[in-house]
Amino acid sequence: MIPQAHVDTSGLLGDRRYAFVDLESGNLCNAKNPRKYGSMLACRALYTEEPRPGEPLPVLEVVFPDGSAHRNIGTALDDAMSRYLGRRVRLTTSVPEGAKTELVWDEAIPKDVVGDYLTVNADGDDVLTYAPNEGDTFFDLTPLHFLTTSTLEFFQKRHASANFDALRYRPTMLVDTPEAGLVEDVWVGGTLAVGDGLRAKIELHTSRCVMSTLAHASDVPLDRATLRTIVRHNTKVIPGMGRWACAGVYAGVVRPGYVRVGDQVRFQPVADR
């Protein structure tokens, strides 16, 4: 958690501005393909200084599970990540032409739900292959992702022994909500006002995949039950993608601004004009 950050039209300042490219396939390295890249979740990326609007991004540092740290100066970070993954990779700040992301199908999601969109990759995995947004950011669909505490509690009550830690779902912002149930499901089409500045248009429900089941930290272990629970209790049709297990919502930026821990979040059913 960070105490405050600036959000511009590309999302949280500094967020998802880097990715590794697999030099063999030309595709992006993403833990949605656990066989190849799931171990990247054990690494921790941070900036050596706080990013500032209108200035170049600070030096990026990646801390590996063995405690070693490497920065994006020269080829040090590329070499370290290549050794770690056992594959030749390169850090990039823009989406390479033709690059794809492979999302491996998880058995918790009924194949007849998303089957029309699946293909088989070279490793024999059933995958949904898609091209990320072009440009210098690496978000999948929209620059912001909101998740509420109410939704996490909803699923936790339906499977008490599963681990529904927010870290598993990697939201841009976790919203503390007193209501019961899947609160943000009704936000789609409306606008969120966060603090005095940020306005975000809620675009669609957030589909969950195999990556959310993986180990994200020592206290957020591998847990297949989490996705099975979401499949059982909240599936929705995502335009162009079929029916998916959903938790949280994706959003675009209507008006940039600073956000701070403790900011009031207000839902407006009719989008800002």
Side-chain angles (χ1 to χ4, degrees):
M1 180 192 297
I2 55 177
Q4 69 172 27
H6 186 264
V7 178
D8 59 23
T9 54
S10 297
L12 203 71
L13 184 62
D15 185 31
R16 291 168 172 79
R17 298 303 200 268
Y18 291 94
F20 283 98
V21 178
D22 189 314
L23 297 184
E24 179 182 352
S25 68
N27 291 335
L28 298 180
C29 303
N30 194 305
K32 291 180 175 66
N33 187 326
R35 181 201 302 271
K36 293 181 178 178
Y37 314 117
S39 60
M40 294 178 74
L41 292 175
C43 300
R44 184 168 61 94
L46 65 153
Y47 291 111
T48 55
E49 299 177 20
E50 189 68 24
R52 295 180 177 84
E55 297 184 13
L57 290 175
V59 171
L60 176 71
E61 181 174 273
V62 175
V63 181
F64 289 78
D66 64 1
S68 64
H70 301 272
R71 297 181 175 183
N72 61 333
I73 299 173
T75 64
L77 183 51
D78 292 346
D79 296 341
M81 186 60 75
S82 295
R83 290 192 300 271
Y84 178 67
L85 292 175
R87 315 178 66 84
R88 291 182 60 237
V89 301
R90 174 177 53 82
L91 193 70
T92 182
T93 56
S94 60
V95 179
E97 183 178 356
K100 300 288 193 299
T101 293
E102 288 186 344
L103 189 161
V104 174
W105 169 76
D106 187 277
E107 62 182 8
I109 301 173
K111 188 172 284 190
D112 60 353
V113 169
V114 297
D116 290 344
Y117 299 91
L118 295 177
T119 59
V120 179
N121 68 6
D123 299 312
D125 296 318
D126 289 313
V127 297
L128 174 68
T129 303
Y130 61 93
N133 291 330
E134 297 179 355
D136 58 359
T137 56
F138 295 93
F139 53 80
D140 286 335
L141 296 172
T142 69
L144 298 178
H145 169 208
F146 292 93
L147 183 65
T148 67
T149 56
S150 296
T151 285
L152 293 176
E153 291 169 3
F154 173 88
F155 292 121
Q156 192 69 71
K157 288 179 179 178
R158 280 148 184 82
H159 200 303
S161 62
N163 183 299
F164 285 98
D165 192 297
L167 183 62
R168 187 179 297 284
Y169 303 102
R170 307 164 70 85
T172 314
M173 283 171 256
L174 178 66
V175 183
D176 188 5
T177 46
E179 303 94 333
L182 303 169
V183 172
E184 63 269 42
D185 274 9
V186 302
W187 290 354
V188 175
T191 300
L192 284 189
V194 183
D196 297 327
L198 179 65
R199 299 295 182 270
K201 172 68 180 298
I202 308 302
E203 303 284 356
L204 70 164
H205 303 282
T206 303
S207 54
R208 312 307 337 184
C209 67
V210 63
M211 188 170 76
S212 66
T213 70
L214 304 178
H216 284 63
S218 59
D219 56 346
V220 186
L222 175 74
D223 193 334
R224 302 293 191 193
T226 54
L227 185 56
R228 288 197 295 268
T229 303
I230 298 174
V231 168
R232 188 173 302 117
H233 296 285
N234 196 39
T235 63
K236 298 183 183 301
V237 173
I238 305 297
M241 293 173 56
R243 182 175 290 275
W244 286 84
C246 293
V249 288
Y250 281 131
V253 178
V254 176
R255 189 174 81 192
Y258 274 92
V259 292
R260 299 170 178 83
V261 173
D263 275 347
Q264 183 181 13
V265 178
R266 303 177 302 280
F267 171 61
Q268 301 167 347
V270 179
D272 287 350
R273 298 183 184 277

